[in-house]
Amino acid sequence: MSHSARLLSFLVLLGTLLTVAPARAWVETTLVSDGVSLDIDRAGRAVVSHELVLRVKGSPLENYHLEGVDQDAEPEGEAQAIQSSGGKSIGLLVTRGDDGALRFGFESERGLHPGTWTLRFRYRSDLRGRGLIRARGSWVELGWVGPRFPSGLDAAKVTFRMPAGVTAPRLPEIDTDADSMAYGEAPAASFLSTLRHGAGSDELELVRSHVARGEPVLWRLWASPSALDVSAPQAAASDMTVPSPTLPSKSAPRRALPLLLGSALGMLYALLMLLKHQKASRDAVGERAVLRALVPLAPLLRVALGGVLLGGAVVLALRFEQPTLGALTGALAALCGTYVQGRHERTLRGPGRWLPISLEEAFSGPRATTASCWLDASQGRGKLALSLTLVPLAVLVAVLFRREPYLGVLAALLLPLCLPVFLTGTRRQLPSGRRDAARRRLERVQRHLVRRTEFRCSPVGRFPEGRTASDEVRLRIVPRDPIAGLLSLELGCDEEVTDVPLALVLRAREGSPAHQVFATHVSFTRGRSSEERVAIIHPRLQGRIVSLVTELVALGQAATRQQASERATSGASKVARSSGIRLATPKLGIVKEPANATRLA
């Protein structure tokens, strides 16, 4: 392609990019506060004034709408948007849409620039004509439903101004019931009130600390009959509650839904617990072991109790809105499905011989296997089932948290309940599983030990008499610099200790330098012969096994060198005394104790 052709192509592309309409820019609006005042006359007609503080980010805001305003709202007067920094004012065009929301247009061509703006507007509404003012015993009750905000509000304030009556206005003395609270009404205790007396008028200011996303708040007060007239015929008081034409038909299903959901989840959890108990018990019997449940009850009773507790947790959290009690009940349900380390029969082993074996024979031999189970996360199928369970539940929690934060938090609290079914009562808690886990850990330690130059390590196996297969594998560690009196240093699996499977076996000849040096740090017992002494060391941290072996070898080698130096010094002293030469006597060195060789079997 020639230079002129490339230039022409570039100009065509540039012209296309300049003439194509730009994509819709990113705009973010955050409602900071909304101050509302209602000036009500004696006939129940009100002028509703709003001061809505809005924060704009990104591109200029071209339009805005407010949902949940009064049904008969008639905008009046001038409306304007005032910028907080600089005091710039822009006119507002307020119209009412077909859906009942107020829509705001801006006289500026580019709308509202990023920053904080205060939208001031007002409209008229006939409260008495809509049935929002009605007699309540010796009082007159006034109820007004505020607008809904898509992002919620940290603090909402409404000021009611009305003619002065014989008795000052106040908050209602009777709280709403539970069903009304579920659909937007709030108890009187959730409001703060401030009363001001003016010249011929009373002013009651109500403040609520938080308004949830999309929540229509019902503001109610009691006033004197001399302040508001209720003598005229009133319409049906449908606006005193949250606007919901299907409210009566949804009330019963909403109350029954937590019961149905709790029953379904409880039965599902009980079924999983029953299947897990059958599989875990079958594997334990096959290895002559007993797998114990954390809750010491009969299996069927424990399964039924776990299902009932989980169903009760769902009902408490959803139906009665008691999340704390629901979480505690769910935790008890999880404990019902938890298994702890069991017991197994131990038999004395017959005589056998320890012989060197190859790495393939030591670590690539057959492993103990059991039938794979979907409810055992220590096996492949169990890992897959746990992943297929947790991932959709995590997505559900995220979706619920964005739409209904309360339901999202409840789902997040109930999410860990399935973990005990997958993570306890597994094959790793059985003897064969523990031996395989120790075998794999011994293989990893062997890879680290072969990299050290101060000693050599090789696997050895125990062969019972009359058998050709080993029943136990250990790592024999031999220092390259010999230690006087050290018979062997072995690393193996101690089945008596379930939480720390690997142990270090130190064998030394009685009275030898190695026995004398190590006896100050560990406790020895009688070994296989009358001259052998054995110490078993259980490291506190399995990750420090290599360091422990290195420290023990260094300790023995340092002691051997020190004793050799003492013998040489002693011989030189005898020669010097016979020849009359005076020599200086060196001080004994202090050997550091191994860091984690204190807890012994």
Side-chain angles (χ1 to χ4, degrees):
M1 182 182 292
S2 62
H3 176 72
S4 57
R6 288 196 297 269
L7 179 60
L8 180 61
S9 300
F10 173 75
L11 293 177
V12 171
L13 178 61
L14 181 61
T16 304
L17 294 177
L18 292 178
T19 54
V20 171
R24 186 175 182 180
W26 164 74
V27 181
E28 179 182 346
T29 59
T30 304
L31 183 63
V32 179
S33 63
D34 183 26
V36 185
S37 62
L38 283 80
D39 294 282
I40 310 170
D41 59 13
R42 195 175 302 276
R45 294 183 295 268
V47 176
V48 184
S49 303
H50 285 261
E51 286 193 2
L52 194 147
V53 180
L54 195 66
R55 184 180 294 117
V56 181
K57 294 182 180 179
S59 300
L61 180 64
E62 299 179 356
N63 54 71
Y64 188 75
H65 67 280
L66 184 64
E67 298 180 354
V69 296
D70 296 89
Q71 298 177 359
D72 59 343
E74 298 180 0
E76 71 166 18
E78 296 182 358
Q80 57 183 351
I82 303 175
Q83 192 174 19
S84 299
S85 59
K88 181 180 179 181
S89 177
I90 297 177
L92 288 179
L93 302 177
V94 184
T95 58
R96 183 175 179 84
D98 297 336
D99 55 354
L102 289 183
R103 303 188 181 278
F104 303 93
F106 308 105
E107 294 182 354
S108 174
E109 295 181 356
R110 300 191 59 184
L112 300 184
H113 294 279
T116 304
W117 296 80
T118 301
L119 308 184
R120 294 179 179 175
F121 59 94
R122 65 179 184 268
Y123 57 83
R124 288 187 173 275
S125 177
D126 186 3
L127 304 183
R128 190 181 67 176
R130 294 165 52 202
L132 300 181
I133 300 177
R134 58 184 178 180
R136 182 85 174 201
S138 60
W139 293 90
V140 174
E141 184 179 76
L142 167 63
W144 179 75
V145 180
R148 299 190 298 270
F149 304 108
S151 59
L153 200 62
D154 289 336
K157 181 178 67 174
V158 175
T159 303
F160 294 91
R161 300 187 186 95
M162 62 189 67
V166 177
T167 306
R170 57 182 300 178
L171 285 172
E173 295 180 354
I174 303 175
D175 279 339
T176 56
D177 55 9
D179 291 336
S180 299
M181 290 173 60
Y183 291 99
E185 295 193 30
S190 61
F191 296 92
L192 298 177
S193 62
T194 303
L195 178 64
R196 302 183 184 91
H197 292 283
S201 65
D202 290 332
E203 181 178 305
L204 183 64
E205 180 182 286
L206 303 181
V207 178
R208 185 174 175 181
S209 60
H210 177 73
V211 177
R213 180 176 56 184
E215 176 187 5
V217 181
L218 174 61
W219 305 82
R220 294 195 304 171
L221 60 86
W222 284 359
S224 172
S226 60
L228 298 176
D229 185 14
V230 292
S231 58
Q234 300 180 17
S238 58
D239 292 336
M240 294 294 289
T241 58
V242 177
S244 179
T246 59
L247 178 60
S249 60
K250 288 185 178 181
S251 178
R254 286 179 66 95
R255 286 195 297 266
L257 181 60
L259 298 176
L260 297 176
L261 182 61
S263 301
L265 292 179
M267 288 188 292
L268 178 61
Y269 185 65
L271 178 61
L272 292 178
M273 289 178 58
L274 182 60
L275 295 176
K276 182 58 179 284
H277 171 73
Q278 294 176 351
K279 178 63 172 62
S281 300
R282 192 182 311 116
D283 292 343
V285 171
E287 299 192 21
R288 294 183 297 178
V290 177
L291 199 60
R292 297 183 296 120
L294 182 62
V295 179
L297 294 176
L300 294 180
L301 180 60
R302 180 172 53 84
V303 167
L305 179 61
V308 171
L309 288 176
L310 180 60
V314 175
V315 173
L316 285 173
L318 294 181
R319 178 65 180 88
F320 299 101
E321 297 185 356
Q322 297 291 333
T324 303
L325 291 178
L328 293 177
T329 308
L332 294 177
L335 294 180
C336 290
T338 303
Y339 292 87
V340 296
Q341 194 71 51
R343 302 181 300 271
H344 68 281
E345 298 180 6
R346 302 181 186 276
T347 58
L348 296 177
R349 297 189 302 183
R353 296 182 300 167
W354 289 92
L355 301 176
I357 57 177
S358 63
L359 294 177
E360 292 76 11
E361 187 178 359
F363 303 123
S364 301
R367 305 291 173 89
T369 58
T370 58
S372 182
C373 178
W374 289 99
L375 300 178
D376 187 350
S378 64
Q379 304 181 62
R381 286 188 178 182
K383 292 184 177 67
L384 178 60
L386 182 60
S387 302
L388 295 178
T389 302
L390 292 181
V391 172
L393 289 179
V395 173
L396 178 63
V397 169
V399 173
L400 288 177
F401 192 81
R402 291 179 61 89
R403 297 185 178 181
E404 295 289 342
Y406 180 74
L407 296 180
V409 172
L410 291 181
L413 292 177
L414 297 177
L415 182 61
L417 296 183
C418 62
L419 296 181
V421 178
F422 289 94
L423 301 181
T424 64
T426 62
R427 195 176 68 87
R428 289 185 178 180
Q429 292 180 285
L430 298 176
S432 61
R434 294 201 302 270
R435 285 194 295 268
D436 287 346
R439 197 175 183 180
R440 290 190 294 268
R441 191 171 302 172
L442 194 65
E443 183 179 5
R444 291 194 297 267
V445 173
Q446 188 269 340
R447 295 195 189 101
H448 288 84
L449 290 176
V450 295
R451 303 173 186 172
R452 312 304 293 252
T453 58
E454 58 268 30
F455 46 77
R456 299 186 303 271
C457 68
S458 59
V460 294
R462 182 184 180 279
F463 293 84
E465 291 186 358
R467 295 179 57 183
T468 58
S470 61
D471 60 355
E472 184 181 353
V473 177
R474 293 182 183 177
L475 284 180
R476 178 168 293 173
I477 303 168
V478 180
R480 296 184 183 275
D481 188 1
I483 302 175
L486 180 64
L487 298 178
S488 67
L489 193 62
E490 301 170 359
L491 185 63
C493 173
D494 187 0
E495 296 185 5
E496 298 293 338
V497 183
T498 57
D499 57 339
V500 185
L502 294 186
L504 190 64
V505 182
L506 182 64
R507 302 182 184 276
R509 185 178 295 108
E510 183 180 10
S512 64
H515 181 214
Q516 296 175 0
V517 171
F518 292 129
T520 60
H521 303 282
V522 296
S523 298
F524 281 91
T525 59
R526 183 181 176 86
R528 298 168 181 168
S529 64
S530 59
E531 297 180 353
E532 186 185 69
R533 293 295 179 263
V534 178
I536 301 178
I537 306 172
H538 296 116
R540 293 193 183 115
L541 299 175
Q542 291 289 293
R544 289 212 18 107
I545 289 180
V546 178
S547 301
L548 174 60
V549 173
T550 304
E551 291 178 8
L552 287 175
V553 172
L555 177 64
Q557 292 174 348
T560 301
R561 288 192 297 267
Q562 185 176 1
Q563 291 177 355
S565 177
E566 290 177 355
R567 288 194 298 268
T569 304
S570 176
S573 299
K574 293 179 181 179
V575 174
R577 282 195 300 269
S578 62
S579 60
I581 301 175
R582 182 179 180 183
L583 295 177
T585 302
K587 297 183 179 179
L588 295 178
I590 300 177
V591 181
K592 183 178 179 182
E593 179 183 357
N596 54 359
T598 56
R599 187 161 70 89
L600 308 175

